[in-house]
Amino acid sequence: MVQLLQRHGVRPLLVFDGGPLPVKSTQNRLRREQRTRRESADWGAHHGTADGTALLEQGRAEEAQRLLRKAVAVTPAMSHRLVEELRARGVEFIVAPYEADAQLTHLVQ
């Protein structure tokens, strides 16, 4: 996608989330607990990508996307690899102090 933008004369600037926002510590803890439950062996058989794929086949794309998003976990190693690749390609990026949304708002103003 980045290459497509560059081929059309667009200079992308990617903005990544930084550290966890202290105010959201309770919400983040609850999300971690939910993720842990979802990652259990039993959960994957009943709520994983197979269910999302079935929903897609039924034409229920929005519901499928919701389920499939929950099946994806971005690890720090994946983020690190992406940052290395962006540097190698000369693509600009920013790691926000906390959430990317706030950083994007600041950049727009």
Side-chain angles (χ1 to χ4, degrees), residues 1-108:
M1 182 61 76
V2 169
Q3 290 174 329
L4 177 65
L5 291 169
Q6 290 174 323
R7 274 198 306 266
H8 287 78
V10 176
R11 196 174 101 211
L13 172 64
L14 283 72
V15 180
F16 297 98
D17 285 333
L21 196 58
V23 168
K24 292 175 70 175
S25 61
T26 301
Q27 182 179 10
N28 290 336
R29 180 183 51 78
L30 292 172
R31 286 179 179 167
R32 268 192 311 278
E33 290 170 2
Q34 288 174 338
R35 248 191 323 272
T36 300
R37 281 194 301 275
R38 283 196 308 264
E39 291 168 356
S40 71
D42 185 51
W43 188 90
H46 295 75
H47 300 92
T49 55
D51 287 348
T53 303
L55 288 170
L56 274 176
E57 290 169 355
Q58 296 169 17
R60 297 163 59 185
E62 196 170 311
E63 292 172 81
Q65 286 179 352
R66 227 182 337 265
L67 253 187
L68 292 169
R69 276 191 209 116
K70 292 177 181 179
V72 174
V74 178
T75 66
M78 293 165 74
S79 297
H80 181 73
R81 173 76 174 98
L82 176 58
V83 165
E84 287 178 340
E85 190 64 30
L86 292 172
R87 280 190 180 125
R89 294 174 184 247
V91 177
E92 290 185 69
F93 65 91
I94 295 172
V95 178
Y98 295 108
E99 295 188 347
D101 300 10
Q103 187 69 44
L104 286 164
T105 301
H106 174 74
L107 289 169
V108 170

